[in-house]
């Protein structure tokens, strides 16, 4: 193959990926329990629907029938539509400066919607949580705790009462815990309600993805620390604070690439958690049912399509999806 032909093939591949081409049957599915068949039909396949990004994260399905997701190092939020088109939704998405080193994780990360359908953005580089208003203006929801700048808000979820929960590890800081710009000596889990920011926990070294159980009695939180790769389950008290906690599942011994990261829950309480090698599926009791394994390590996932039964996965440079049998909980 000549260099010219190789370049042409690469260009055509990218054009197809960004203009509606779908690759079907990529990756594999590991079935750890027969119970997975009730969630993931035996004929289900993983599809790649877009590629060519830097590091994808934070997917959220909009009420207009499109999917938004973050490309962190490229400081961009993209919109994907069911016709396969990918367009820039917002750039810059998480950092307004110009001094970030190449490849720094300074763009937006987690995305969610409030009850009015407004987009809420975890901005790594700007170290804040913002809301995109209907007129296109940004409202800063949280950027400091007790006068000190947040680290780099990572992921967020709303409770049905309108309170916002989010995690704040230091991934957006170039040197993370050793970065001289870091002002807080911990990585927190926070609750924002009535304009007041409340620290709920500072026990996890790298709190990341989070989601409520369907009855909101529990909050699941991923810990993205290679030394302690776990998902925690916290009891949620009536006042919204967190009570007793337990390790929901521990994958510290897993050697596959990837750490506990983004997670979602379906209507029956099953947990879908990105982690080593793929999206781990757990029963509400913490039994591992199986793992969806795209060809790239997934960082987050979200429910999409009209019926909420398609799981979209952001995995490094690509966007993937798979059809399931149970509807997911989405904002």
């Amino acid at each position: 193959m000549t260099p010219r032909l190789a370049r042409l093939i690469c260009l055509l591949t990218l054009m197809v990926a960004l203009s509606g081409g779908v690759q079907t049957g990529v990756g594999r599915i590991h079935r750890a329990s027969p119970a997975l068949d009730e969630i993931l039909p035996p004929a289900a396949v993983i599809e790649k629907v877009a590629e060519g990004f830097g590091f994808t994260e934070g997917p959220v399905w909009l009420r207009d029938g499109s999917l938004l997701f973050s490309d962190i190092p490229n400081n961009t939020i993209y919109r994907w539509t069911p016709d396969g088109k990918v367009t820039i939704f917002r750039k810059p998405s998480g950092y307004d400066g110009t001094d970030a080193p190449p490849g720094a994780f300074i763009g937006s990360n987690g995305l969610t919607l409030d009850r009015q359908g407004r987009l809420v953005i975890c901005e790594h580089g700007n170290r804040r949580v913002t809301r995109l208003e209907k007129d296109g203006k940004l409202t800063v929801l949280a950027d400091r705790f007790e006068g000190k700048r947040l680290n780099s808000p990572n992921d967020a979820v709303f409770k049905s009462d309108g309170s916002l929960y989010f995690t704040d590890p230091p991934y957006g800081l170039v040197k993370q815990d050793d970065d001289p710009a870091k002002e807080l000596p911990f990585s927190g889990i926070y609750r924002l309600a009535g304009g007041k920011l409340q620290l709920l926990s500072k026990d996890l070294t790298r709190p990341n993805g989070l989601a409520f159980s369907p009855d909101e009695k529990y909050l699941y939180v991923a810990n993205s620390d290679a030394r302690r790769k776990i998902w925690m389950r916290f009891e949620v008290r009536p006042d919204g604070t967190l009570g007793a906690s337990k390790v929901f599942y521990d994958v510290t011994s897993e050697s596959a690439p990837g750490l506990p990261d983004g997670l979602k829950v379906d209507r029956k309480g099953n947990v879908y958690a990105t982690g080593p090698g793929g999206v781990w599926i757990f029963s509400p009791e913490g039994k591992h049912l199986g793992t969806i394994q795209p060809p790239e390590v997934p960082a987050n996932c979200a429910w999409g399509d009209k019926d909420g039964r398609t799981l979209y996965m952001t995995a490094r440079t690509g966007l993937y999806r798979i059809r399931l049998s149970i509807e997911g909980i989405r904002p």
Side-chain angles (χ1 to χ4, degrees):
M1 182 183 296
T2 66
R4 183 178 179 182
L5 179 59
R7 287 195 298 270
L8 179 60
I9 291 174
C10 289
L11 177 60
L12 289 174
T13 299
L14 180 60
M15 290 174 64
V16 169
L18 297 181
S19 62
V22 175
Q23 299 177 37
T24 302
V26 299
R28 62 186 294 270
I29 297 169
H30 167 61
R31 295 179 181 271
S33 167
L36 186 68
D37 291 347
E38 299 178 10
I39 299 172
L40 201 59
V45 294
I46 303 170
E47 299 176 310
K48 176 186 277 190
V49 298
E51 63 182 0
F53 310 103
F55 189 104
T56 57
E57 251 282 9
V60 64
W61 189 262
L62 299 186
R63 295 167 189 176
D64 66 5
S66 64
L67 183 83
L68 296 183
F69 60 96
S70 299
D71 186 339
I72 304 177
N74 287 320
N75 202 12
T76 302
I77 295 174
Y78 287 102
R79 183 201 297 269
W80 177 90
T81 50
D83 61 3
K85 293 181 180 178
V86 177
T87 55
I88 293 175
F89 177 81
R90 187 172 183 83
K91 183 179 179 68
S93 66
Y95 186 57
D96 298 328
T98 59
D99 58 343
F105 271 39
I106 42 79
S108 61
N109 193 326
L111 308 172
T112 192
L113 305 176
D114 68 6
R115 289 181 292 183
Q116 287 75 47
R118 295 172 296 186
L119 183 68
V120 171
I121 307 168
C122 291
E123 299 187 15
H124 263 190
N126 291 329
R127 302 167 67 177
R128 65 190 187 183
V129 181
T130 58
R131 182 178 65 220
L132 185 62
E133 307 295 348
K134 298 297 184 180
D135 61 3
K137 295 180 180 178
L138 273 183
T139 298
V140 177
L141 300 180
D143 61 355
R144 282 174 167 78
F145 176 69
E146 295 183 345
K148 296 182 178 181
R149 293 191 69 188
L150 297 173
N151 298 321
S152 55
N154 187 281
D155 210 348
V157 64
F158 279 98
K159 196 167 180 282
S160 61
D161 63 3
S163 55
L164 178 68
Y165 291 66
F166 67 90
T167 54
D168 187 43
Y171 287 125
L173 299 172
V174 176
K175 296 182 179 180
Q176 298 195 29
D177 285 329
D178 297 325
D179 199 297
K182 191 174 189 292
E183 298 182 15
L184 293 167
F186 55 82
S187 296
I189 303 171
Y190 294 91
R191 174 177 181 261
L192 180 65
K196 179 182 178 181
L197 187 60
Q198 183 179 23
L199 176 65
L200 301 178
S201 173
K202 57 180 180 180
D203 295 335
L204 297 180
T205 52
R206 291 291 187 273
N208 201 309
L210 70 174
F212 287 101
S213 61
D215 58 11
E216 298 186 335
K217 291 183 178 179
Y218 301 105
L219 179 70
Y220 299 97
V221 183
N223 188 54
S224 298
D225 189 332
R227 297 166 298 182
R228 195 174 184 227
K229 296 182 275 190
I230 59 173
W231 291 279
M232 296 293 296
R233 192 184 77 174
F234 293 86
E235 294 180 2
V236 181
R237 299 189 181 107
D239 65 357
T241 59
L242 300 182
S245 64
K246 61 176 288 187
V247 175
F248 182 68
Y249 206 87
D250 189 331
V251 288
T252 305
S253 63
E254 290 290 328
S255 59
L259 300 170
D261 204 323
L263 61 91
K264 297 295 185 292
V265 176
D266 70 21
R267 294 288 179 183
K268 293 188 177 180
N270 300 301
V271 178
Y272 301 71
T274 58
V279 179
W280 293 59
I281 303 176
F282 303 105
S283 71
E285 296 74 32
K287 180 181 179 181
H288 179 214
L289 305 180
T291 308
I292 303 168
Q293 300 173 323
E296 300 179 89
V297 180
N300 213 330
C301 56
W303 306 103
D305 291 357
K306 187 175 181 179
D307 61 2
R309 294 187 179 188
T310 299
L311 187 69
Y312 285 84
M313 298 166 283
T314 50
R316 298 301 188 265
T317 68
L319 176 65
Y320 300 80
R321 70 182 177 191
I322 190 169
R323 286 287 293 173
L324 305 181
S325 301
I326 301 175
E327 181 183 354
I329 296 176
R330 52 184 173 178

